[in-house]
Amino acid sequence: TILDLYSGCSVIESLVEKGQTVYLLDWGDSRPQDKHLSLSDHLDHGLQWTVKRTLKEAGVSTLNLMGQCLGGTLCALYTCRNPKEIKSLVLLTTPIDFHVDGTFYQWTNHSNINLDQMLAAWGNIQAKFLDRSFKLLTTLGEVKQRSALLNSSHREDFLKKHVAITEWVKDSVPFPGQTYKELIQYFYRDNLLYQGEMVLEGESLSLSTLKQLKIPILSFYAKGDIIVPNQSTKALSHCCLLYTSPSPRDGLLSRMPSSA
C-alpha cells in the first residue's frame, strides 16, 4: 500500500509513467501454518518464485529488483545468491548494519525477550504486538499526529494523504514466527549480514559479493528515520565500496558499474 497510496502519490504510478513495467510481490497475511516458514523459505520459495515468474511473464532474462526496509534486505541477499537475474538493485531505507544504536537494537539486545516463549504462545507474531511496538518508537507520535490533523484539517490535500497513511499504518499483518526469530537472532543480535557471516541452508552469503558484480546499486535513506537509522543503511558502502554522494544530494548512495 505504501508504494501505491493513491494517484498522484504513488511510487508505482511514477515508475509506470516512466515506461517501467512493475510487478509487486504481496506477501499476504500469514496463516497459522506459516509459523514454521523460515528466512530461507521466503528467499527460495517466495522471492525466487516471484523473480522466475516475472522473468517469464515479461519475456526477459534480467530485471530491476527493488525492496523497501526488510524487503530490501531480502533483495540484497537474493542478489548475492542470484546475480545473473538482476539488472540493477534499488533499496529503500534498508537496514544493513543491525548493530547501529537505535530503539530496535536496544530492545532486542538489552531486554528479556524470550523468542521461544513468544512462538510457543502465538505461533505467528501478532499484528497488534507489531503495531504497538512501532507506536512505542515515538511516545508522542499519536499526539503529534492528531495535533497536525487539527491544525491542517482545512487542507484537502493534507486530509487525503493523512487518511491514506493512517489506513496503511493500521494495516499490520501477523509475522511468520520462525522468520521473526531468525530475524532477531541473525540480524539484530548476531549482525551476521554486516559481518559477512550469514549462512542459509549451508550457503554462505556476504554483501561483499556485491562489489564483484557489475550491477548498479541505488540505496536511499531517510533523514529522521526512527525505524532504520541512517548509519544502518549507509553501512552498505562499507560492504561493497559504494560511492556516497555529497550534499545537496545527501541521502543517496550509488555504485555504478566499471563501464560507467
Side-chain angles (χ1 to χ4, degrees):
T1 306
I2 195 62
L3 294 176
D4 188 33
L5 276 175
Y6 53 84
S7 182
C9 188
S10 168
V11 174
I12 292 177
E13 181 182 54
S14 64
L15 289 172
V16 171
E17 289 177 348
K18 296 293 183 181
Q20 297 291 328
T21 301
V22 179
Y23 295 82
L24 175 68
L25 169 58
D26 184 349
W27 295 97
D29 290 0
S30 298
R31 304 164 299 174
Q33 60 266 40
D34 292 335
K35 64 182 181 180
H36 301 298
L37 292 179
S38 66
L39 188 61
S40 292
D41 290 326
H42 283 83
L43 276 174
D44 295 339
H45 303 297
L47 190 51
Q48 186 176 63
W49 179 88
T50 303
V51 170
K52 299 291 186 185
R53 178 67 180 269
T54 301
L55 293 175
K56 181 179 179 180
E57 290 285 338
V60 295
S61 58
T62 59
L63 52 75
N64 304 298
L65 186 62
M66 181 175 75
Q68 180 189 17
C69 199
L70 288 174
T73 308
L74 289 178
C75 287
L77 287 172
Y78 186 87
T79 302
C80 290
R81 179 181 282 182
N82 305 279
K84 293 183 179 180
E85 300 171 346
I86 309 303
K87 183 189 301 183
S88 70
L89 177 64
V90 180
L91 307 177
L92 307 178
T93 59
T94 293
I96 297 297
D97 182 356
F98 287 80
H99 277 190
V100 170
D101 193 21
T103 305
F104 283 147
Y105 171 74
Q106 292 293 332
W107 283 349
T108 54
N109 286 275
H110 301 290
S111 62
N112 296 321
I113 295 176
N114 189 315
L115 296 174
D116 290 325
Q117 285 185 356
M118 290 176 66
L119 301 191
W122 291 346
N124 292 321
I125 304 303
Q126 296 181 2
K128 62 182 180 181
F129 169 80
L130 299 172
D131 178 62
R132 180 51 55 185
S133 297
F134 283 112
K135 288 180 178 178
L136 285 174
L137 289 174
T138 169
T139 54
L140 294 178
E142 292 186 67
V143 174
K144 292 180 178 179
Q145 185 183 46
R146 293 181 182 183
S147 176
L149 176 60
L150 181 63
N151 294 331
S152 303
S153 59
H154 61 285
R155 292 174 43 200
E156 184 176 350
D157 60 332
F158 177 88
L159 289 176
K160 186 175 183 179
K161 182 175 288 187
H162 175 83
V163 170
I165 292 179
T166 299
E167 287 300 310
W168 167 70
V169 170
K170 289 165 50 180
D171 192 28
S172 297
V173 297
F175 202 102
Q178 180 61 29
T179 302
Y180 185 84
K181 179 180 178 179
E182 293 178 358
L183 170 69
I184 300 299
Q185 189 63 55
Y186 296 166
F187 295 148
Y188 281 102
R189 290 181 174 173
D190 297 337
N191 207 21
L192 297 181
L193 178 65
Y194 182 68
Q195 299 295 339
E197 300 172 355
M198 194 80 181
V199 178
L200 293 176
E201 299 295 320
E203 181 182 2
S204 297
L205 295 175
S206 173
L207 293 177
S208 62
T209 304
L210 295 177
K211 70 182 181 182
Q212 304 169 13
L213 307 173
K214 295 182 178 180
I215 298 176
I217 301 173
L218 185 64
S219 178
F220 295 94
Y221 65 88
K223 290 183 177 180
D225 193 335
I226 60 174
I227 297 177
V228 181
N230 291 172
Q231 293 303 319
S232 176
T233 299
K234 293 166 71 174
L236 185 62
S237 61
H238 304 299
C239 300
C240 52
L241 303 179
L242 293 176
Y243 164 73
T244 305
S245 67
S247 294
R249 297 177 64 199
D250 189 25
L252 173 65
L253 302 179
S254 61
R255 178 172 76 82
M256 298 302 294
S258 57
S259 58

